[in-house]
Amino acid sequence: MDFSAALPTFLVTLREGFEAALVVGIVGACLKKAQQTRLYPWVFGGVLAGIAASVLVGLGLGGILQRLAASNALYAPVFKEFLEAGFGIFAIAMLSWMLIWMTQQAKFLKTEVEGAIAQALEKGQGAAWGVFALIFIAVAREGFETVVFIVAKFQDGWLLPSIGAIAGLTLATAMGVLLFVLGIKINIRLFFQVMGIFLLLIVGGLVVGVLKHLDGAIALLAQLNPQYAKFCLPNSPSCILGSQVWNLAQILPDKEFPGIVLKALFGYRQQLFLVQAIAYLGFLMGVGGVYLQSLGVFSRLGNLKRSEASQ
């Protein structure tokens, strides 16, 4: 069994899960400090409810795609391709935004959560529901991002992606326990920086996949109704993706090792077209540039160059 399909969901769930674990841990520490440990069951309830809501969303979205795949309706394959592309675009936007937002807001996370808990405790009898809502939103938000990513990226099989997601969530939970229960220090900033690079590359691969779905949808539409053929490029091996950049099916197939690992982690495709290549590089330079700028990489490089010039 090839476990490479589990790698992207493992990494995404590990990052998103640890982010949720931080919120849960901070809330637990605040309640302990305020001598309100009686509210712990509401914390656990919020975690379980958030996970359950995420799973239900994933099952619902996946069920829609499965029904379209099994449908005999003439345009069902076209709708399925467009829907998969839509899920992918949504996942790209959401994960990219969260990647940059978390980097910029990480330093304020503890203060914001502590402030929210303080406000909840001021409500007296309503404090329990305030704690529950805070935890539920934190867990459901990260879980929703993960399930949309899984639905957007994997349609051929759910077993391995699900295994990767469970493993990532388990490790994220273990890291939260190590940090908040056992008091073991974890370099949180370095963790998110490294995971951010992986996430950036994985989402870049999702960009390539979205374009493939759009190309497939328009090509199917043109086959079913010739009037839509005008949307396809003339004399092109693809419909909207332009000329072929490479075809490495015989050298480095993306369904065999190591190509399948490169596909899972970095968006590699054995067959790549011009528009996909441009979009992939554009995404890495655009979103990646903003991400690196939020980390202060460019400012540090500038300071280093000025320091070298002054010597």
Side-chain angles (χ1 to χ4, degrees), residues 30 39-40 53 61 78 89 99 123 132 137 142 146 154 170 182 185 198 220 248 273 276 302:
C30 290
L39 297 176
Y40 277 0
L61 297 179
V78 177
I89 292 171
L99 173 66
K123 297 179 180 179
F132 175 87
I137 292 173
E142 308 304 334
T146 303
F154 302 99
T170 302
L182 301 180
K185 292 185 178 180
F198 275 114
L220 284 172
L248 304 177
F273 293 91
Q276 288 175 309

Side-chain angles (χ1 to χ4, degrees), residues 150-236:
I150 293 174
V151 171
K153 193 172 179 63
F154 302 99
Q155 289 82 39
D156 297 331
W158 294 80
L159 177 60
L160 290 177
S162 298
I163 291 174
I166 293 172
L169 183 60
T170 302
L171 181 55
T173 303
M175 291 174 63
V177 171
L178 291 174
L179 182 63
F180 290 102
V181 178
L182 301 180
I184 296 177
K185 292 185 178 180
I186 296 176
N187 192 327
I188 298 175
R189 181 179 181 183
L190 180 61
F191 170 82
F192 279 114
Q193 287 178 353
V194 173
M195 295 303 296
I197 297 297
F198 275 114
L199 184 61
L200 189 67
L201 294 171
I202 290 171
V203 177
L206 196 56
V207 171
V208 176
V210 164
L211 289 172
K212 181 180 178 181
H213 285 304
L214 288 174
D215 183 73
I218 297 175
L220 284 172
L221 197 59
Q223 291 176 11
L224 294 172
N225 194 331
Q227 71 174 347
Y228 294 107
K230 61 185 178 182
F231 294 109
C232 292
L233 297 172
N235 303 320
S236 175

Side-chain angles (χ1 to χ4, degrees), residues 263-293:
K263 179 181 179 181
L265 293 180
F266 307 116
Y268 166 77
R269 295 295 191 278
Q270 63 184 26
Q271 189 177 23
L272 188 71
F273 293 91
L274 181 61
V275 173
Q276 288 175 309
I278 293 174
Y280 182 79
L281 294 175
F283 173 82
L284 292 184
M285 288 188 293
V287 177
V290 175
Y291 175 63
L292 292 176
Q293 186 176 22

Side-chain angles (χ1 to χ4, degrees), residues 26-306:
I26 294 171
V27 169
C30 290
L31 293 178
K32 183 177 180 179
K33 183 177 180 180
Q35 297 182 343
Q36 295 291 329
T37 54
R38 62 181 179 82
L39 297 176
Y40 277 0
W42 291 88
V43 174
F44 300 137
V47 171
L48 294 176
I51 294 175
S54 301
V55 172
L56 289 176
V57 169
L59 292 175
L61 297 179
I64 294 173
L65 292 177
Q66 289 178 352
R67 283 193 291 272
L68 284 174
S71 175
N72 294 322
L74 182 62
Y75 286 96
V78 177
F79 291 141
K80 181 175 180 292
E81 291 286 349
F82 274 128
L83 193 59
E84 289 175 358
F87 287 154
I89 292 171
F90 187 63
I92 291 166
M94 191 163 51
L95 290 170
S96 299
W97 180 79
M98 284 304 300
L99 173 66
I100 297 171
W101 179 87
M102 183 59 188
T103 303
Q104 296 175 339
Q105 299 297 321
K107 63 182 71 175
F108 308 113
L109 180 63
K110 187 173 184 291
T111 302
E112 291 178 354
V113 174
E114 288 176 343
I117 288 296
Q119 291 180 357
L121 294 178
E122 290 176 357
K123 297 179 180 179
Q125 293 182 348
W129 284 109
V131 170
F132 175 87
L134 178 62
I135 297 296
F136 172 78
I137 292 173
V139 174
R141 181 185 63 196
E142 308 304 334
F144 184 60
E145 292 172 7
T146 303
V147 298
V148 172
F149 169 77
I150 293 174
V151 171
K153 193 172 179 63
F154 302 99
Q155 289 82 39
D156 297 331
W158 294 80
L159 177 60
L160 290 177
S162 298
I163 291 174
I166 293 172
L169 183 60
T170 302
L171 181 55
T173 303
M175 291 174 63
V177 171
L178 291 174
L179 182 63
F180 290 102
V181 178
L182 301 180
I184 296 177
K185 292 185 178 180
I186 296 176
N187 192 327
I188 298 175
R189 181 179 181 183
L190 180 61
F191 170 82
F192 279 114
Q193 287 178 353
V194 173
M195 295 303 296
I197 297 297
F198 275 114
L199 184 61
L200 189 67
L201 294 171
I202 290 171
V203 177
L206 196 56
V207 171
V208 176
V210 164
L211 289 172
K212 181 180 178 181
H213 285 304
L214 288 174
D215 183 73
I218 297 175
L220 284 172
L221 197 59
Q223 291 176 11
L224 294 172
N225 194 331
Q227 71 174 347
Y228 294 107
K230 61 185 178 182
F231 294 109
C232 292
L233 297 172
N235 303 320
S236 175
S238 66
C239 189
I240 62 171
L241 300 180
S243 59
Q244 184 174 267
V245 176
W246 69 54
N247 188 344
L248 304 177
Q250 301 301 321
I251 302 174
L252 189 61
D254 58 20
K255 293 185 179 180
E256 299 177 7
F257 183 84
I260 194 169
V261 176
L262 297 176
K263 179 181 179 181
L265 293 180
F266 307 116
Y268 166 77
R269 295 295 191 278
Q270 63 184 26
Q271 189 177 23
L272 188 71
F273 293 91
L274 181 61
V275 173
Q276 288 175 309
I278 293 174
Y280 182 79
L281 294 175
F283 173 82
L284 292 184
M285 288 188 293
V287 177
V290 175
Y291 175 63
L292 292 176
Q293 186 176 22
S294 68
L295 295 178
V297 172
F298 297 137
S299 61
R300 287 197 293 268
L301 288 175
N303 293 334
L304 180 61
K305 288 182 179 180
R306 285 191 292 270

